[in-house]
Amino acid sequence: EEVEILRMFKHSPYIIHCFGADVSFENNVNLYNLLLEYASGGSLADRLQNCNSLPEVEVKKHTKNVLLGLSCIHNNRIIHYDIKPGNILLVGRDKTAKIADFGLSVTLEQGMNQKQGVIRGTERYMAPESLRET
């Protein structure tokens, strides 16, 4: 399902590119492997861990890229559910911030039909109203 969602965004410069998928069998387990573009800068979480603060110009650039990526995602009626620094990858020489990890994502319709009591995402990064289901 994640591959199908990523294919929707193959032309977006703010969402990680997926080149396909592969299945391997190791230790009696099927492993599903996504073939993604290389993020030489690691994740935004890595970047934040390696320094105490980021220059304002870098914060502005990453914020703009993430918002443009979210706009694209939402315009395609997809809910990501797990936006956090670890899922923002820094790609290329200019370290463009790109949204990754659509493993918890659903369509807007699926989200509207979701049962109450189902929490999706990383609690530390969720809005309080999502945790309270209000």
Side-chain angles (χ1 to χ4, degrees), residues 7-133:
R7 283 189 181 138
M8 295 172 64
F9 305 115
K10 64 182 176 183
H11 298 295
S12 174
Y14 309 108
I15 298 171
I16 201 75
H17 292 154
C18 180
F19 299 107
D22 183 45
V23 179
S24 60
F25 189 73
E26 298 175 26
N27 299 323
N28 295 323
V29 176
N30 277 330
L31 299 177
Y32 297 91
N33 308 293
L34 295 179
L35 309 173
L36 303 174
E37 76 181 298
Y38 181 59
S40 59
S43 71
L44 189 55
D46 297 333
R47 178 82 175 100
L48 291 167
Q49 192 173 38
N50 292 332
C51 58
N52 291 332
S53 64
L54 299 179
E56 183 177 344
V57 66
E58 189 175 340
V59 172
K60 284 181 178 181
K61 183 179 107 173
H62 295 330
T63 300
K64 179 181 178 182
N65 291 348
V66 170
L67 290 174
L68 288 169
L70 281 173
S71 177
C72 180
I73 292 167
H74 293 164
N75 286 339
N76 282 276
R77 303 175 60 84
I78 298 293
I79 305 169
H80 187 281
Y81 275 118
D82 203 19
I83 296 293
K84 60 184 179 183
N87 289 340
I88 307 299
L89 302 182
L90 305 176
V91 177
R93 201 174 276 144
D94 65 343
K95 305 290 187 252
T96 300
K98 295 189 177 196
I99 299 171
D101 194 354
F102 285 75
L104 296 178
S105 299
V106 297
T107 65
L108 180 60
E109 293 75 24
Q110 290 169 325
M112 299 291 279
N113 294 328
Q114 186 172 293
K115 295 178 187 175
Q116 291 288 17
V118 175
I119 295 178
R120 296 175 77 95
T122 304
E123 291 182 7
R124 179 176 179 187
Y125 295 99
M126 293 177 74
E129 61 272 17
S130 295
L131 289 170
R132 289 192 308 264
E133 298 182 40

